[in-house]
Each structure stands twice: as C-alpha cells, then as structure tokens.
Amino acid sequence: KHPSARDLLLTLLIFTACTVIGLLFEKLHFTDTNVVTIYILGVLLTSVLTDGYFCSLAGSFLSVFLFCFFLTEPRMSFQTYAVGYPVTFLIMLISSVLTGALAAKLKTHAKLSAQLAFRTQVLFDTDRLLQKAKSETEILGVTCTQLIRLLNRSITAYVVENGTLSEGKLFSGEKEDTEDFLIPEEQQIARWVCENRQHAGASTHHFPQAKCLYLAIRSGDNVYGVIGIPLQKETLDTFEYSILLSVINECALAMENAKNALEKEKNAV
C-alpha cells in the first residue's frame, strides 16, 4: 500500500525529534552509541505507529542520512573525518532495517491474529443465534446482521416464498450509497442465481457489471434464498470469502431444519 500523508508526516516528526535529541546528547557529551540507539528507537516507533513497511524502511535510510549530516564532523555535509564512521553507518543501516522489518511483521501478525479471533467469534455467535431462530425471516435477519459485523458493509437478502424469489430487503451496514442495490437489474441477477444455483455478479464471470456479489442460500438442490454482498471498489480476500460461505451454509442448514420442523408440525396436525 502507498503510505498515507499521516504516516509520512509522523515519520518526519519522529526523526526530527530523534535528531533534536541527538544534538542534545552531543551537548551533554554523550557517546555516538547513545545517538545511534535513539535513531534505532525512532525506526522502531515508526514501524509500530505506521502501516506497512515503507515508512520503516524509509526511516532506516533517513536515520543514517540525518546522523551523517547533522551529528558527524564536518557538519552539514555527508563527508566525515573519522575513519570508522562508514562502518558505523553500515551497521546502523542494517540494524535499523532489521528492527523496522521485524517490528512491522510482528504488528501485521498481531493484526491478523486479532482479525482471525474476531471472525471466529462471529462464526460461533452465528451458529448460536441461528439455533435460537425459528422462522425463515428470523434466520435471514440473524445471518445478515452477522455478515454486517463480519464484512462491515450493507447486505441485500432475498428469500424463496412459494417457489418464487421475494423482493429484496436491504440490511444497512456502513454509510454508503445503497440506492442501486435493489434496482430491477440487480434483482434480476438475484433471480438468475436462484434459478441456476450459481454465484453471479461482481467479481464473477456471470454479470460482472453488477453492484453486488450474489450467492445462493442452498442445501443440496433446495434453494432458500439469495444473499447480495456489495463489491463496488474492493474484493473479498480468501479468508473473508471462506467465512462468508460458512455463514451462508449455516443459514441454509438452519432454514432446512426450520422447513423440516414446519412439515413435521403439519403432518402431526
């Protein structure tokens, strides 16, 4: 990803502060080792406070340039009188790059672990709530509410009533333009999905111009409804797609159980 203006500004502020602290350390006659440590700390803070690897990598090179330019003799130049400083610069650069890369990687892993735990919790909650739901309307409402939690976007839903697909219903998630999600063209695609038992819409080969990705709620040859996921600018990653299918499959199983329970009740009557 390209770094944001916030990340770039934060990187500049961190290394400006490191340079000011380095100049203060020199006034106090601290050794160069203390100054180098401050810059490595700056790289670590940059990796933690910014997204991606770019700012931490740029900060690694920036720390070496600032140290050479402001804190070595002669000042305000990239030349140095000391014989051992090139080796110091090289070691400082390698240490900064490794520190930034490891910190960014740990931050990424922590973020992915948190997402995995959240999505797993959503899946467990969905299973628990679907067991309590009785009617198809309740089951569909639970499913769409959980998908909104999972994907953070609006969901359109259709249910099969008396062999035909009902009018679509919008479950609103994040603030977005939802007017085009239930137009006749989109509903026609949902009916095609119901009839053909295939995925269609955005990011597929069937009706790729659609606003939403449509998936059938089905168990075997029985189709109980259709779920629409808006995909206007971005696509679902592999993990999101697998969790989405798991939620829809649980919804189909719950609807099948509700239908069987209703038939048993009619037979009993």
Side-chain angles (χ1 to χ4, degrees), residues 108-144:
T108 302
H109 286 173
K111 184 178 180 180
L112 291 175
S113 298
Q115 290 178 344
L116 178 61
F118 170 72
R119 291 168 181 171
T120 304
Q121 184 63 45
V122 169
L123 198 58
F124 286 144
D125 290 344
T126 303
D127 182 60
R128 176 176 54 82
L129 293 172
L130 286 177
Q131 289 180 2
K132 296 179 180 179
K134 301 300 181 182
S135 65
E136 289 187 349
T137 303
E138 291 180 6
I139 293 171
L140 196 63
V142 168
T143 301
C144 293

PDB file of all heavy atoms in Angstrom, residues 108-144:
ATOM      1  N   THR A 108       1.890  -6.785  11.888  1.00  0.00           N
ATOM      2  CA  THR A 108       0.993  -7.405  10.907  1.00  0.00           C
ATOM      3  C   THR A 108       0.420  -8.714  11.439  1.00  0.00           C
ATOM      4  O   THR A 108      -0.772  -8.987  11.309  1.00  0.00           O
ATOM      5  CB  THR A 108       1.735  -7.641   9.593  1.00  0.00           C
ATOM      6  OG1 THR A 108       2.234  -6.395   9.097  1.00  0.00           O
ATOM      7  CG2 THR A 108       0.813  -8.250   8.551  1.00  0.00           C
ATOM      8  N   HIS A 109       1.285  -9.540  12.054  1.00  0.00           N
ATOM      9  CA  HIS A 109       0.825 -10.812  12.603  1.00  0.00           C
ATOM     10  C   HIS A 109      -0.176 -10.595  13.728  1.00  0.00           C
ATOM     11  O   HIS A 109      -1.165 -11.335  13.850  1.00  0.00           O
ATOM     12  CB  HIS A 109       2.017 -11.622  13.106  1.00  0.00           C
ATOM     13  CG  HIS A 109       2.834 -12.212  12.007  1.00  0.00           C
ATOM     14  ND1 HIS A 109       4.039 -12.855  12.212  1.00  0.00           N
ATOM     15  CD2 HIS A 109       2.641 -12.241  10.665  1.00  0.00           C
ATOM     16  CE1 HIS A 109       4.535 -13.265  11.062  1.00  0.00           C
ATOM     17  NE2 HIS A 109       3.701 -12.901  10.110  1.00  0.00           N
ATOM     18  N   ALA A 110       0.070  -9.593  14.568  1.00  0.00           N
ATOM     19  CA  ALA A 110      -0.867  -9.303  15.653  1.00  0.00           C
ATOM     20  C   ALA A 110      -2.216  -8.860  15.106  1.00  0.00           C
ATOM     21  O   ALA A 110      -3.270  -9.256  15.616  1.00  0.00           O
ATOM     22  CB  ALA A 110      -0.283  -8.229  16.565  1.00  0.00           C
ATOM     23  N   LYS A 111      -2.192  -8.048  14.054  1.00  0.00           N
ATOM     24  CA  LYS A 111      -3.435  -7.591  13.442  1.00  0.00           C
ATOM     25  C   LYS A 111      -4.201  -8.759  12.830  1.00  0.00           C
ATOM     26  O   LYS A 111      -5.425  -8.870  12.986  1.00  0.00           O
ATOM     27  CB  LYS A 111      -3.126  -6.545  12.377  1.00  0.00           C
ATOM     28  CG  LYS A 111      -4.356  -5.931  11.730  1.00  0.00           C
ATOM     29  CD  LYS A 111      -3.951  -4.869  10.714  1.00  0.00           C
ATOM     30  CE  LYS A 111      -5.179  -4.250  10.057  1.00  0.00           C
ATOM     31  NZ  LYS A 111      -4.790  -3.200   9.060  1.00  0.00           N
ATOM     32  N   LEU A 112      -3.487  -9.646  12.128  1.00  0.00           N
ATOM     33  CA  LEU A 112      -4.138 -10.806  11.521  1.00  0.00           C
ATOM     34  C   LEU A 112      -4.711 -11.742  12.580  1.00  0.00           C
ATOM     35  O   LEU A 112      -5.789 -12.307  12.405  1.00  0.00           O
ATOM     36  CB  LEU A 112      -3.144 -11.555  10.630  1.00  0.00           C
ATOM     37  CG  LEU A 112      -2.710 -10.841   9.348  1.00  0.00           C
ATOM     38  CD1 LEU A 112      -1.640 -11.640   8.630  1.00  0.00           C
ATOM     39  CD2 LEU A 112      -3.892 -10.592   8.428  1.00  0.00           C
ATOM     40  N   SER A 113      -3.989 -11.903  13.684  1.00  0.00           N
ATOM     41  CA  SER A 113      -4.482 -12.758  14.767  1.00  0.00           C
ATOM     42  C   SER A 113      -5.756 -12.189  15.373  1.00  0.00           C
ATOM     43  O   SER A 113      -6.697 -12.927  15.685  1.00  0.00           O
ATOM     44  CB  SER A 113      -3.405 -12.912  15.840  1.00  0.00           C
ATOM     45  OG  SER A 113      -2.252 -13.545  15.321  1.00  0.00           O
ATOM     46  N   ALA A 114      -5.785 -10.861  15.539  1.00  0.00           N
ATOM     47  CA  ALA A 114      -6.993 -10.225  16.079  1.00  0.00           C
ATOM     48  C   ALA A 114      -8.168 -10.387  15.126  1.00  0.00           C
ATOM     49  O   ALA A 114      -9.301 -10.656  15.554  1.00  0.00           O
ATOM     50  CB  ALA A 114      -6.716  -8.751  16.345  1.00  0.00           C
ATOM     51  N   GLN A 115      -7.915 -10.240  13.816  1.00  0.00           N
ATOM     52  CA  GLN A 115      -8.981 -10.426  12.830  1.00  0.00           C
ATOM     53  C   GLN A 115      -9.482 -11.863  12.828  1.00  0.00           C
ATOM     54  O   GLN A 115     -10.694 -12.113  12.743  1.00  0.00           O
ATOM     55  CB  GLN A 115      -8.476 -10.049  11.443  1.00  0.00           C
ATOM     56  CG  GLN A 115      -8.248  -8.558  11.253  1.00  0.00           C
ATOM     57  CD  GLN A 115      -7.691  -8.240   9.878  1.00  0.00           C
ATOM     58  OE1 GLN A 115      -7.199  -9.119   9.178  1.00  0.00           O
ATOM     59  NE2 GLN A 115      -7.761  -6.985   9.494  1.00  0.00           N
ATOM     60  N   LEU A 116      -8.558 -12.810  12.920  1.00  0.00           N
ATOM     61  CA  LEU A 116      -8.942 -14.215  12.936  1.00  0.00           C
ATOM     62  C   LEU A 116      -9.801 -14.532  14.156  1.00  0.00           C
ATOM     63  O   LEU A 116     -10.820 -15.227  14.050  1.00  0.00           O
ATOM     64  CB  LEU A 116      -7.692 -15.093  12.923  1.00  0.00           C
ATOM     65  CG  LEU A 116      -7.916 -16.609  12.975  1.00  0.00           C
ATOM     66  CD1 LEU A 116      -8.715 -17.071  11.774  1.00  0.00           C
ATOM     67  CD2 LEU A 116      -6.587 -17.342  13.060  1.00  0.00           C
ATOM     68  N   ALA A 117      -9.409 -14.003  15.319  1.00  0.00           N
ATOM     69  CA  ALA A 117     -10.184 -14.250  16.532  1.00  0.00           C
ATOM     70  C   ALA A 117     -11.573 -13.629  16.415  1.00  0.00           C
ATOM     71  O   ALA A 117     -12.574 -14.236  16.819  1.00  0.00           O
ATOM     72  CB  ALA A 117      -9.442 -13.676  17.740  1.00  0.00           C
ATOM     73  N   PHE A 118     -11.643 -12.415  15.858  1.00  0.00           N
ATOM     74  CA  PHE A 118     -12.945 -11.746  15.704  1.00  0.00           C
ATOM     75  C   PHE A 118     -13.852 -12.528  14.762  1.00  0.00           C
ATOM     76  O   PHE A 118     -15.029 -12.762  15.055  1.00  0.00           O
ATOM     77  CB  PHE A 118     -12.733 -10.325  15.187  1.00  0.00           C
ATOM     78  CG  PHE A 118     -14.000  -9.637  14.774  1.00  0.00           C
ATOM     79  CD1 PHE A 118     -14.911  -9.200  15.718  1.00  0.00           C
ATOM     80  CD2 PHE A 118     -14.297  -9.445  13.428  1.00  0.00           C
ATOM     81  CE1 PHE A 118     -16.095  -8.574  15.338  1.00  0.00           C
ATOM     82  CE2 PHE A 118     -15.464  -8.814  13.048  1.00  0.00           C
ATOM     83  CZ  PHE A 118     -16.363  -8.378  14.004  1.00  0.00           C
ATOM     84  N   ARG A 119     -13.324 -12.945  13.619  1.00  0.00           N
ATOM     85  CA  ARG A 119     -14.142 -13.656  12.647  1.00  0.00           C
ATOM     86  C   ARG A 119     -14.574 -15.013  13.167  1.00  0.00           C
ATOM     87  O   ARG A 119     -15.693 -15.464  12.905  1.00  0.00           O
ATOM     88  CB  ARG A 119     -13.363 -13.799  11.335  1.00  0.00           C
ATOM     89  CG  ARG A 119     -13.165 -12.462  10.627  1.00  0.00           C
ATOM     90  CD  ARG A 119     -12.171 -12.561   9.496  1.00  0.00           C
ATOM     91  NE  ARG A 119     -11.975 -11.262   8.853  1.00  0.00           N
ATOM     92  CZ  ARG A 119     -11.041 -11.013   7.953  1.00  0.00           C
ATOM     93  NH1 ARG A 119     -10.202 -11.952   7.579  1.00  0.00           N
ATOM     94  NH2 ARG A 119     -10.929  -9.811   7.415  1.00  0.00           N
ATOM     95  N   THR A 120     -13.692 -15.669  13.915  1.00  0.00           N
ATOM     96  CA  THR A 120     -14.069 -16.948  14.509  1.00  0.00           C
ATOM     97  C   THR A 120     -15.186 -16.754  15.530  1.00  0.00           C
ATOM     98  O   THR A 120     -16.131 -17.552  15.596  1.00  0.00           O
ATOM     99  CB  THR A 120     -12.843 -17.601  15.177  1.00  0.00           C
ATOM    100  OG1 THR A 120     -11.795 -17.744  14.216  1.00  0.00           O
ATOM    101  CG2 THR A 120     -13.209 -18.969  15.730  1.00  0.00           C
ATOM    102  N   GLN A 121     -15.100 -15.664  16.298  1.00  0.00           N
ATOM    103  CA  GLN A 121     -16.153 -15.366  17.271  1.00  0.00           C
ATOM    104  C   GLN A 121     -17.476 -15.085  16.574  1.00  0.00           C
ATOM    105  O   GLN A 121     -18.536 -15.512  17.029  1.00  0.00           O
ATOM    106  CB  GLN A 121     -15.733 -14.158  18.122  1.00  0.00           C
ATOM    107  CG  GLN A 121     -16.722 -13.816  19.224  1.00  0.00           C
ATOM    108  CD  GLN A 121     -16.854 -14.933  20.238  1.00  0.00           C
ATOM    109  OE1 GLN A 121     -15.850 -15.504  20.678  1.00  0.00           O
ATOM    110  NE2 GLN A 121     -18.079 -15.259  20.618  1.00  0.00           N
ATOM    111  N   VAL A 122     -17.417 -14.363  15.441  1.00  0.00           N
ATOM    112  CA  VAL A 122     -18.637 -14.096  14.671  1.00  0.00           C
ATOM    113  C   VAL A 122     -19.257 -15.402  14.195  1.00  0.00           C
ATOM    114  O   VAL A 122     -20.482 -15.583  14.237  1.00  0.00           O
ATOM    115  CB  VAL A 122     -18.323 -13.167  13.478  1.00  0.00           C
ATOM    116  CG1 VAL A 122     -19.513 -13.092  12.518  1.00  0.00           C
ATOM    117  CG2 VAL A 122     -17.972 -11.772  13.960  1.00  0.00           C
ATOM    118  N   LEU A 123     -18.416 -16.329  13.757  1.00  0.00           N
ATOM    119  CA  LEU A 123     -18.924 -17.616  13.267  1.00  0.00           C
ATOM    120  C   LEU A 123     -19.594 -18.405  14.394  1.00  0.00           C
ATOM    121  O   LEU A 123     -20.682 -18.983  14.204  1.00  0.00           O
ATOM    122  CB  LEU A 123     -17.770 -18.417  12.672  1.00  0.00           C
ATOM    123  CG  LEU A 123     -18.129 -19.570  11.736  1.00  0.00           C
ATOM    124  CD1 LEU A 123     -18.951 -19.085  10.562  1.00  0.00           C
ATOM    125  CD2 LEU A 123     -16.861 -20.275  11.262  1.00  0.00           C
ATOM    126  N   PHE A 124     -18.986 -18.416  15.578  1.00  0.00           N
ATOM    127  CA  PHE A 124     -19.585 -19.107  16.723  1.00  0.00           C
ATOM    128  C   PHE A 124     -20.899 -18.443  17.133  1.00  0.00           C
ATOM    129  O   PHE A 124     -21.885 -19.128  17.439  1.00  0.00           O
ATOM    130  CB  PHE A 124     -18.611 -19.134  17.904  1.00  0.00           C
ATOM    131  CG  PHE A 124     -17.486 -20.105  17.734  1.00  0.00           C
ATOM    132  CD1 PHE A 124     -16.216 -19.813  18.205  1.00  0.00           C
ATOM    133  CD2 PHE A 124     -17.687 -21.324  17.114  1.00  0.00           C
ATOM    134  CE1 PHE A 124     -15.172 -20.712  18.050  1.00  0.00           C
ATOM    135  CE2 PHE A 124     -16.655 -22.235  16.944  1.00  0.00           C
ATOM    136  CZ  PHE A 124     -15.388 -21.926  17.417  1.00  0.00           C
ATOM    137  N   ASP A 125     -20.893 -17.101  17.161  1.00  0.00           N
ATOM    138  CA  ASP A 125     -22.123 -16.384  17.524  1.00  0.00           C
ATOM    139  C   ASP A 125     -23.241 -16.658  16.523  1.00  0.00           C
ATOM    140  O   ASP A 125     -24.405 -16.788  16.900  1.00  0.00           O
ATOM    141  CB  ASP A 125     -21.853 -14.884  17.592  1.00  0.00           C
ATOM    142  CG  ASP A 125     -20.977 -14.504  18.777  1.00  0.00           C
ATOM    143  OD1 ASP A 125     -20.845 -15.332  19.690  1.00  0.00           O
ATOM    144  OD2 ASP A 125     -20.422 -13.386  18.770  1.00  0.00           O
ATOM    145  N   THR A 126     -22.883 -16.747  15.248  1.00  0.00           N
ATOM    146  CA  THR A 126     -23.874 -17.033  14.213  1.00  0.00           C
ATOM    147  C   THR A 126     -24.523 -18.391  14.431  1.00  0.00           C
ATOM    148  O   THR A 126     -25.754 -18.532  14.356  1.00  0.00           O
ATOM    149  CB  THR A 126     -23.228 -16.988  12.818  1.00  0.00           C
ATOM    150  OG1 THR A 126     -22.623 -15.705  12.616  1.00  0.00           O
ATOM    151  CG2 THR A 126     -24.254 -17.235  11.734  1.00  0.00           C
ATOM    152  N   ASP A 127     -23.700 -19.373  14.724  1.00  0.00           N
ATOM    153  CA  ASP A 127     -24.226 -20.722  14.958  1.00  0.00           C
ATOM    154  C   ASP A 127     -25.166 -20.735  16.170  1.00  0.00           C
ATOM    155  O   ASP A 127     -26.243 -21.340  16.139  1.00  0.00           O
ATOM    156  CB  ASP A 127     -23.062 -21.686  15.177  1.00  0.00           C
ATOM    157  CG  ASP A 127     -23.529 -23.115  15.382  1.00  0.00           C
ATOM    158  OD1 ASP A 127     -24.172 -23.663  14.477  1.00  0.00           O
ATOM    159  OD2 ASP A 127     -23.258 -23.684  16.459  1.00  0.00           O
ATOM    160  N   ARG A 128     -24.778 -20.025  17.229  1.00  0.00           N
ATOM    161  CA  ARG A 128     -25.606 -19.989  18.434  1.00  0.00           C
ATOM    162  C   ARG A 128     -26.930 -19.265  18.185  1.00  0.00           C
ATOM    163  O   ARG A 128     -27.996 -19.727  18.606  1.00  0.00           O
ATOM    164  CB  ARG A 128     -24.831 -19.299  19.561  1.00  0.00           C
ATOM    165  CG  ARG A 128     -25.594 -19.108  20.854  1.00  0.00           C
ATOM    166  CD  ARG A 128     -24.699 -18.505  21.922  1.00  0.00           C
ATOM    167  NE  ARG A 128     -24.082 -17.270  21.456  1.00  0.00           N
ATOM    168  CZ  ARG A 128     -24.674 -16.082  21.466  1.00  0.00           C
ATOM    169  NH1 ARG A 128     -25.922 -15.979  21.919  1.00  0.00           N
ATOM    170  NH2 ARG A 128     -24.041 -15.003  21.059  1.00  0.00           N
ATOM    171  N   LEU A 129     -26.872 -18.132  17.478  1.00  0.00           N
ATOM    172  CA  LEU A 129     -28.092 -17.356  17.221  1.00  0.00           C
ATOM    173  C   LEU A 129     -29.024 -18.069  16.245  1.00  0.00           C
ATOM    174  O   LEU A 129     -30.255 -17.983  16.374  1.00  0.00           O
ATOM    175  CB  LEU A 129     -27.718 -15.977  16.675  1.00  0.00           C
ATOM    176  CG  LEU A 129     -26.997 -15.049  17.659  1.00  0.00           C
ATOM    177  CD1 LEU A 129     -26.501 -13.796  16.951  1.00  0.00           C
ATOM    178  CD2 LEU A 129     -27.907 -14.679  18.818  1.00  0.00           C
ATOM    179  N   LEU A 130     -28.457 -18.773  15.270  1.00  0.00           N
ATOM    180  CA  LEU A 130     -29.295 -19.483  14.312  1.00  0.00           C
ATOM    181  C   LEU A 130     -30.041 -20.640  14.964  1.00  0.00           C
ATOM    182  O   LEU A 130     -31.144 -21.000  14.540  1.00  0.00           O
ATOM    183  CB  LEU A 130     -28.446 -20.000  13.145  1.00  0.00           C
ATOM    184  CG  LEU A 130     -27.964 -18.953  12.135  1.00  0.00           C
ATOM    185  CD1 LEU A 130     -27.072 -19.586  11.080  1.00  0.00           C
ATOM    186  CD2 LEU A 130     -29.138 -18.244  11.470  1.00  0.00           C
ATOM    187  N   GLN A 131     -29.450 -21.231  15.982  1.00  0.00           N
ATOM    188  CA  GLN A 131     -30.137 -22.316  16.678  1.00  0.00           C
ATOM    189  C   GLN A 131     -31.376 -21.811  17.423  1.00  0.00           C
ATOM    190  O   GLN A 131     -32.342 -22.550  17.612  1.00  0.00           O
ATOM    191  CB  GLN A 131     -29.175 -22.983  17.665  1.00  0.00           C
ATOM    192  CG  GLN A 131     -28.086 -23.807  16.995  1.00  0.00           C
ATOM    193  CD  GLN A 131     -27.149 -24.449  17.992  1.00  0.00           C
ATOM    194  OE1 GLN A 131     -27.327 -24.315  19.210  1.00  0.00           O
ATOM    195  NE2 GLN A 131     -26.142 -25.146  17.502  1.00  0.00           N
ATOM    196  N   LYS A 132     -31.343 -20.533  17.831  1.00  0.00           N
ATOM    197  CA  LYS A 132     -32.492 -19.953  18.539  1.00  0.00           C
ATOM    198  C   LYS A 132     -33.566 -19.456  17.578  1.00  0.00           C
ATOM    199  O   LYS A 132     -34.742 -19.373  17.959  1.00  0.00           O
ATOM    200  CB  LYS A 132     -32.030 -18.804  19.432  1.00  0.00           C
ATOM    201  CG  LYS A 132     -31.083 -19.216  20.551  1.00  0.00           C
ATOM    202  CD  LYS A 132     -30.666 -18.006  21.377  1.00  0.00           C
ATOM    203  CE  LYS A 132     -29.727 -18.407  22.502  1.00  0.00           C
ATOM    204  NZ  LYS A 132     -29.304 -17.230  23.307  1.00  0.00           N
ATOM    205  N   ALA A 133     -33.173 -19.085  16.344  1.00  0.00           N
ATOM    206  CA  ALA A 133     -34.136 -18.546  15.384  1.00  0.00           C
ATOM    207  C   ALA A 133     -35.077 -19.650  14.912  1.00  0.00           C
ATOM    208  O   ALA A 133     -34.663 -20.793  14.697  1.00  0.00           O
ATOM    209  CB  ALA A 133     -33.402 -17.929  14.200  1.00  0.00           C
ATOM    210  N   LYS A 134     -36.358 -19.307  14.719  1.00  0.00           N
ATOM    211  CA  LYS A 134     -37.353 -20.293  14.341  1.00  0.00           C
ATOM    212  C   LYS A 134     -37.824 -20.121  12.901  1.00  0.00           C
ATOM    213  O   LYS A 134     -37.819 -21.070  12.128  1.00  0.00           O
ATOM    214  CB  LYS A 134     -38.553 -20.207  15.295  1.00  0.00           C
ATOM    215  CG  LYS A 134     -38.202 -20.437  16.748  1.00  0.00           C
ATOM    216  CD  LYS A 134     -37.588 -21.805  16.983  1.00  0.00           C
ATOM    217  CE  LYS A 134     -37.253 -22.033  18.453  1.00  0.00           C
ATOM    218  NZ  LYS A 134     -36.606 -23.345  18.671  1.00  0.00           N
ATOM    219  N   SER A 135     -38.223 -18.922  12.537  1.00  0.00           N
ATOM    220  CA  SER A 135     -38.765 -18.690  11.196  1.00  0.00           C
ATOM    221  C   SER A 135     -37.650 -18.316  10.222  1.00  0.00           C
ATOM    222  O   SER A 135     -36.534 -17.959  10.621  1.00  0.00           O
ATOM    223  CB  SER A 135     -39.805 -17.566  11.237  1.00  0.00           C
ATOM    224  OG  SER A 135     -39.192 -16.335  11.598  1.00  0.00           O
ATOM    225  N   GLU A 136     -37.994 -18.388   8.926  1.00  0.00           N
ATOM    226  CA  GLU A 136     -37.014 -18.028   7.905  1.00  0.00           C
ATOM    227  C   GLU A 136     -36.646 -16.548   7.987  1.00  0.00           C
ATOM    228  O   GLU A 136     -35.505 -16.174   7.715  1.00  0.00           O
ATOM    229  CB  GLU A 136     -37.573 -18.351   6.513  1.00  0.00           C
ATOM    230  CG  GLU A 136     -37.669 -19.832   6.215  1.00  0.00           C
ATOM    231  CD  GLU A 136     -38.067 -20.102   4.770  1.00  0.00           C
ATOM    232  OE1 GLU A 136     -38.469 -19.139   4.090  1.00  0.00           O
ATOM    233  OE2 GLU A 136     -37.965 -21.268   4.344  1.00  0.00           O
ATOM    234  N   THR A 137     -37.614 -15.721   8.358  1.00  0.00           N
ATOM    235  CA  THR A 137     -37.335 -14.288   8.489  1.00  0.00           C
ATOM    236  C   THR A 137     -36.313 -14.037   9.590  1.00  0.00           C
ATOM    237  O   THR A 137     -35.368 -13.244   9.412  1.00  0.00           O
ATOM    238  CB  THR A 137     -38.633 -13.521   8.793  1.00  0.00           C
ATOM    239  OG1 THR A 137     -39.590 -13.775   7.764  1.00  0.00           O
ATOM    240  CG2 THR A 137     -38.362 -12.025   8.870  1.00  0.00           C
ATOM    241  N   GLU A 138     -36.469 -14.700  10.732  1.00  0.00           N
ATOM    242  CA  GLU A 138     -35.510 -14.547  11.825  1.00  0.00           C
ATOM    243  C   GLU A 138     -34.138 -15.071  11.421  1.00  0.00           C
ATOM    244  O   GLU A 138     -33.106 -14.462  11.726  1.00  0.00           O
ATOM    245  CB  GLU A 138     -36.005 -15.301  13.061  1.00  0.00           C
ATOM    246  CG  GLU A 138     -37.234 -14.685  13.711  1.00  0.00           C
ATOM    247  CD  GLU A 138     -37.656 -15.469  14.922  1.00  0.00           C
ATOM    248  OE1 GLU A 138     -36.929 -16.408  15.325  1.00  0.00           O
ATOM    249  OE2 GLU A 138     -38.718 -15.172  15.493  1.00  0.00           O
ATOM    250  N   ILE A 139     -34.111 -16.208  10.742  1.00  0.00           N
ATOM    251  CA  ILE A 139     -32.845 -16.790  10.314  1.00  0.00           C
ATOM    252  C   ILE A 139     -32.122 -15.859   9.347  1.00  0.00           C
ATOM    253  O   ILE A 139     -30.910 -15.634   9.461  1.00  0.00           O
ATOM    254  CB  ILE A 139     -33.087 -18.166   9.663  1.00  0.00           C
ATOM    255  CG1 ILE A 139     -33.594 -19.155  10.698  1.00  0.00           C
ATOM    256  CG2 ILE A 139     -31.816 -18.686   9.005  1.00  0.00           C
ATOM    257  CD1 ILE A 139     -34.072 -20.472  10.126  1.00  0.00           C
ATOM    258  N   LEU A 140     -32.869 -15.295   8.398  1.00  0.00           N
ATOM    259  CA  LEU A 140     -32.266 -14.386   7.431  1.00  0.00           C
ATOM    260  C   LEU A 140     -31.762 -13.117   8.115  1.00  0.00           C
ATOM    261  O   LEU A 140     -30.688 -12.610   7.785  1.00  0.00           O
ATOM    262  CB  LEU A 140     -33.289 -14.029   6.350  1.00  0.00           C
ATOM    263  CG  LEU A 140     -32.735 -13.408   5.065  1.00  0.00           C
ATOM    264  CD1 LEU A 140     -31.810 -14.376   4.353  1.00  0.00           C
ATOM    265  CD2 LEU A 140     -33.873 -12.985   4.144  1.00  0.00           C
ATOM    266  N   GLY A 141     -32.530 -12.613   9.084  1.00  0.00           N
ATOM    267  CA  GLY A 141     -32.106 -11.424   9.814  1.00  0.00           C
ATOM    268  C   GLY A 141     -30.826 -11.649  10.599  1.00  0.00           C
ATOM    269  O   GLY A 141     -29.924 -10.803  10.598  1.00  0.00           O
ATOM    270  N   VAL A 142     -30.734 -12.803  11.271  1.00  0.00           N
ATOM    271  CA  VAL A 142     -29.517 -13.143  12.019  1.00  0.00           C
ATOM    272  C   VAL A 142     -28.323 -13.243  11.085  1.00  0.00           C
ATOM    273  O   VAL A 142     -27.239 -12.713  11.360  1.00  0.00           O
ATOM    274  CB  VAL A 142     -29.711 -14.454  12.798  1.00  0.00           C
ATOM    275  CG1 VAL A 142     -28.377 -14.974  13.327  1.00  0.00           C
ATOM    276  CG2 VAL A 142     -30.694 -14.255  13.937  1.00  0.00           C
ATOM    277  N   THR A 143     -28.524 -13.929   9.955  1.00  0.00           N
ATOM    278  CA  THR A 143     -27.434 -14.106   9.002  1.00  0.00           C
ATOM    279  C   THR A 143     -26.916 -12.779   8.478  1.00  0.00           C
ATOM    280  O   THR A 143     -25.704 -12.532   8.454  1.00  0.00           O
ATOM    281  CB  THR A 143     -27.907 -14.986   7.822  1.00  0.00           C
ATOM    282  OG1 THR A 143     -28.347 -16.251   8.322  1.00  0.00           O
ATOM    283  CG2 THR A 143     -26.774 -15.198   6.835  1.00  0.00           C
ATOM    284  N   CYS A 144     -27.824 -11.904   8.077  1.00  0.00           N
ATOM    285  CA  CYS A 144     -27.408 -10.613   7.516  1.00  0.00           C
ATOM    286  C   CYS A 144     -26.762  -9.726   8.570  1.00  0.00           C
ATOM    287  O   CYS A 144     -25.788  -9.010   8.283  1.00  0.00           O
ATOM    288  CB  CYS A 144     -28.599  -9.907   6.884  1.00  0.00           C
ATOM    289  SG  CYS A 144     -29.240 -10.753   5.417  1.00  0.00           S
TER     290      CYS A 144
END
